[in-house]
Amino acid sequence: FEVALSPATLTRVAVAEFERQVDLPGVLILDHGCFVGLLSRQNCLQHLSRPFGLEVFLRRPIMHLYTSLAAQPLVLAAHLPIDQAVDQALSRDTAHLYEPIVMEFPDATLRVLDLHTLLLAQSQLLAKATQIIQRQAAFGRALSATLDLSSVLKLVLDHLETSVPCDRL
């Protein structure tokens, strides 16, 4: 997600954005294009639900709420391998474990990522790796089951065809 608000934006604008986009995990706070912080949906709504929370925060700038949270968002480089990103995200203290993550791209653009999305991506990569390992193991078993040169050659070519992306003539 790439929803960004200025520090002077009223908190009610962030709340309206959370209501409009129900899967939005947080909003970036940018001051003249510079990253200031991240206001998560969970923290925002939790503070607004406290006694007098609506009166204290809703009509004030978003920065007032953000500074009262005293939370430093996790900022990760977008090129970081998924396993390392997951490791860093899960190594946060339990109070901030499910807070959104800020991904920084090489062109300095920022995006907000939910931990669940990151875990889902890791799960998909692990499933793909498992499929590759199973295919390699099946190929190894089939290869060791025969000594016939033409059968071995056919097995190798079939395995290459399924393993290496190419156009077939």
Side-chain angles (χ1 to χ4, degrees), residues 80-94:
L80 193 66
I82 289 178
D83 63 321
Q84 292 176 17
V86 168
D87 186 46
Q88 288 187 32
L90 293 178
S91 66
R92 298 182 286 180
D93 63 82
T94 55

Side-chain angles (χ1 to χ4, degrees), residues 78-163:
H79 67 274
L80 193 66
I82 289 178
D83 63 321
Q84 292 176 17
V86 168
D87 186 46
Q88 288 187 32
L90 293 178
S91 66
R92 298 182 286 180
D93 63 82
T94 55
H96 302 298
L97 187 61
Y98 294 104
E99 287 295 304
I101 301 158
V102 177
M103 301 301 294
E104 184 175 17
F105 289 84
D107 64 355
T109 58
L110 301 171
R111 300 287 186 269
V112 179
L113 180 68
D114 191 325
L115 176 64
H116 297 96
T117 304
L118 186 61
L119 291 172
L120 180 62
Q122 182 185 38
S123 173
Q124 290 172 344
L125 282 177
L126 289 173
K128 187 170 183 84
T130 300
Q131 290 174 347
I132 291 170
I133 291 168
Q134 289 173 344
R135 193 168 51 237
Q136 296 286 10
F139 170 67
R141 285 190 301 274
L143 198 58
S144 63
T146 184
L147 294 176
D148 179 46
L149 183 60
S150 62
S151 297
V152 168
L153 191 58
K154 180 173 178 3
L155 283 169
V156 169
L157 291 174
D158 288 345
H159 181 69
L160 283 174
E161 182 181 37
T162 60
S163 300

